Amino acid sequence: MAKKPISPIPVEQLPRHVAIIMDGNGRWAKKRALPRTAGHFEGANNFRKIIRHTRDIGIPYISFYAFSTENWKRPDDEVHAIMDLMRKYLVEAYEFFDLNVRFVLLGDRNGFDADLQEKYDNLERDTHDFHAMTTGIAANYGSRYEITAAVKEIAALVKEGLLQPEDITEEIISQHLYTKEMPDVDLVIRTSGEYRISNFLLWQSAYAEFYFTDTLWPDFSPKEFDKALVDYASRNRRFGGV
Ligand code: IPE
Ligand code: IPE
Ligand code: MG
């Protein structure tokens, strides 16, 4: 029996790159009188579910906002709990091997403990040639930080005489961002009823469509993801034209 197509919209209308701001873990836990870390645990489980789903649909690029450069401000025990969850999931990400999913870290790896850096390095290396879907994990990520780092790299090239200021293009700037191997974002999804971008992929989302939902991240199901896709397919993207 032929397998039913899983995409809720015609495949040619699928976004190439979906970026998700996974927000609301803390409130999910609070509603259940649980510690915030329990919310992060459930949120990480959901991250796995959504990876499988988007891979099955055939979306080629997905990015998840897991930890921002501003999230270090949180209480130490919460930060530690999130780092430990990352450790766990970076090892368990090997469950996606059969799915042919490539993982890339979007963020400054130097901010992490050495063992965590190594886990990111290993996962990137071991999945480098997988091509069913590329998953960006934005961790220790901030868009302004990323752009500042790119400017520093480009300035160094100019200083060395390898590049002339008049030759700096948008393409060159894109090539110095963590997302250099990913296309621009088509659809940004933010859960938990907040209507802001919180320093996520500012350059890459210049012409993205936005989808907001009140659902808290641990409750954001594949079905809800499909709803976002249906909504996206109804948008008229003009890119400044008519
Ligand atoms: C998002 O959930 C996960 C991270 C920022 C790591 P929050 O922890 O921000 O959850 P709320 O916004 O407090 O509910
Ligand atoms: C954005 O959520 C960062 C992540 C989802 C990792 P936050 O909860 O940190 O954002 P603000 O503070 O509400 O803007
Ligand atoms: Mg939040």
Side-chain angles (χ1 to χ4, degrees), residues 20-24 27 36 65-68 70-71 74 138 190 194 196-198:
I20 305 187
I21 304 176
M22 310 185 282
D23 199 11
R27 278 163 283 169
R36 292 178 58 83
Y65 207 2
F67 192 84
S68 75
E70 289 72 34
N71 288 147
R74 295 188 178 199
R190 183 169 190 149
E194 307 292 356
R196 55 178 171 263
I197 189 92
S198 300

Side-chain angles (χ1 to χ4, degrees), residues 7-14 233:
S7 175
I9 58 173
V11 283
E12 62 279 4
Q13 288 176 34
L14 283 174

Side-chain angles (χ1 to χ4, degrees), residues 128-190:
H128 184 270
D129 298 326
F130 292 176
H131 49 256
M133 179 172 84
T134 297
T135 300
I137 303 178
N140 194 20
Y141 178 86
S143 219
R144 288 183 167 188
Y145 183 93
E146 175 187 42
I147 292 170
T148 306
V151 170
K152 284 181 188 164
E153 284 180 19
I154 293 168
L157 293 176
V158 171
K159 192 176 170 195
E160 287 170 43
L162 296 169
L163 185 68
Q164 296 306 311
E166 57 274 22
D167 293 333
I168 299 171
T169 59
E170 292 184 6
E171 184 52 34
I172 288 177
I173 293 172
S174 294
Q175 283 307 312
H176 286 268
L177 303 178
Y178 300 123
T179 47
K180 54 177 167 289
E181 293 180 84
M182 303 175 94
D184 278 351
V185 173
D186 297 304
L187 171 63
V188 176
I189 297 174
R190 183 169 190 149

Side-chain angles (χ1 to χ4, degrees), residues 102-117:
R102 179 181 180 191
F103 286 88
V104 286
L105 169 66
L106 313 177
D108 182 1
R109 71 192 66 221
N110 296 316
F112 296 119
D113 287 349
D115 72 297
L116 200 45
Q117 290 188 36

